[in-house]
Amino acid sequence: MLFKPEKLKIKDQRMKPFMDSEEIWSFIHNARPTKERVREIIAKSLDKQRLKLEETAILVQADDPELVEEIKQGAKILKEKVYGQRIVLFAPLYIGNMCINTCAYCGFKSTNKAISRITLSKEELVAQVKALEDAGQKRLILVYGEHPKYNAEFIAETVGIVYSVRSGPGEIRRVNINAAPMDIDGFRIIKDSKIGTYQIFQETYHEETYAKVHLGGIKRNFEWRLTSLDRAQEAGIDDVGIGALFGLYDWRFEVLGLVRHTNHFEAVYNVGPHTISFPRIQYASQLNIDKSHIVSDAEFTRLVAILRLAVPYTGLILTAREPSAVRDEILQFGVSQIDGGTNIEMGGYAKKENAEAQNIDLEQFQINDNRSLNQIMEELIQHEYIPSFCTSCYRRGRTGEHFMEFSVPGFIKRFCQPNALLTLAEYLEDYAPEGTREMGYRLIEKKLGEMDQDDFKQNLVEKLEQVKEGKRDLYF
Ligand code: SAM
Ligand code: SF4
């Protein structure tokens, strides 16, 4: 199913290329970021309207420190007012690092002979999932290199194994995928295995740069990758994640590329991508890239805030590639999901010894936030974020949940926040040490205290009691 780009049928408008570098650069070059215009644009976003490309271009061109601060504050207000304080937690699980591509930035590139090539056996996969469940994880993203071995059937089989594993009260309730592009038949097979989101990052939306960093293998085909999530839609996967690898090309261009890609989905499928990821290049075994576009921490913060304002109802994912201090800082500007307790060493979760040390020859790139899931839970709770393992929308068939959170009055109050509190209570009962448990229940009480006294609150209080009595997987 995998390596047949020649089979890509450009059947209709849907498959037409939609990315035009010149158009994106012309938006950037023509942008005039006056104070009045930047403030108007921030106000538009706070009024729950998504931004046009030309408006996003004005924000990326606004370099005046005062305006940068206003953009960040706008993103913060949007996040607090519209989404509340929930942060969804997940963990990545690497299934196999064999790869036929030669991506200059990645430790798994086919030419890297220093790396040990591993594909988890069924037993090893089960051991990994058990270790993740024992830490309290409920949502995983499975990650694969691009290799004939990792075809659609193989991916679907691994998804089935992950869903079937039980360790004590633990279970994985949502499996997302980050793997190579498929053809439509391949995506159909994967859809049937009941995945959550299928994530594919374009890496760079700039075609020339794309050609420079993808030196060999199927991934050299820019268009096959750019149209991959259209094929996923064609196969019925309407829950997709896009992303750009920041540091390959000008960050302002990539922000507009992500917004353009989002526009394309909205125009053609009437639903935007579920999530946007914005990994920054990290050290990797045999990293071989031009460093002129490396993104500073200040630029990174800006770009996250701009994305929040530009696509207010799309989930934003910030991973443990970033150090804890950067993550803590950027969280407030609109991030909705983070990974916690991350270990990307092949087979790493089930290893007891040397849990702290990273072996870069077993990994795709360097991870810079090595906190355990419980440490992250504690820190989120201390800052009054509500850690959430909620999978309710996905399991109730409420797709496009970020859009609903954003646009359906009372949706967060009736669904997201109560479900976050219920999954937090489960975690506190089953996995948290005493100190975390006390902090967590204090937060739950505080949030209950802020709710109106009505039947709905009563229902939630009863469900929380049931969790304490041992009932699991309760949600609205
Ligand atoms: N092999 C599949 C693919 O290329 O789409 C799966 C994805 S790869 C295992 C996950 C993502 O990690 C890539 O899409 C890329 O954006 C990111 N990545 C690769 N090398 C990286 C590095 N050195 N630093 C940060 N992120 C990196
Ligand atoms: Fe392979 Fe993906 Fe790494 Fe490229 S980014 S070398 S395709 S694992």
Side-chain angles (χ1 to χ4, degrees), residues 94 96 99 101 103 105-108 143-146 178-181 199-203 219 225 244-245 279-284 287 321 364-366:
Y94 279 67
C99 196
N101 293 323
C103 306
Y105 45 81
C106 179
F108 292 167
V143 186
Y144 309 74
E146 182 158 0
N178 184 321
Q199 226 181 42
I200 295 176
F201 304 157
Q202 186 60 27
E203 318 299 9
K219 198 166 164 182
R225 197 158 176 99
L245 180 56
R280 250 194 319 183
I281 291 196
Q282 306 298 325
Y283 177 72
L287 180 71
R321 288 173 179 87
Q364 191 189 11
F365 47 78
Q366 177 112 28

Side-chain angles (χ1 to χ4, degrees), residues 245-282:
L245 180 56
F246 280 88
L248 295 177
Y249 189 56
D250 192 304
W251 67 267
R252 299 167 302 164
F253 183 96
E254 304 296 11
V255 167
L256 264 70
L258 289 164
V259 174
R260 181 70 191 87
H261 204 169
T262 302
N263 290 348
H264 166 72
F265 278 113
E266 286 178 356
V268 180
Y269 308 105
N270 223 5
V271 54
H274 188 154
T275 54
I276 293 184
S277 301
F278 29 86
R280 250 194 319 183
I281 291 196
Q282 306 298 325

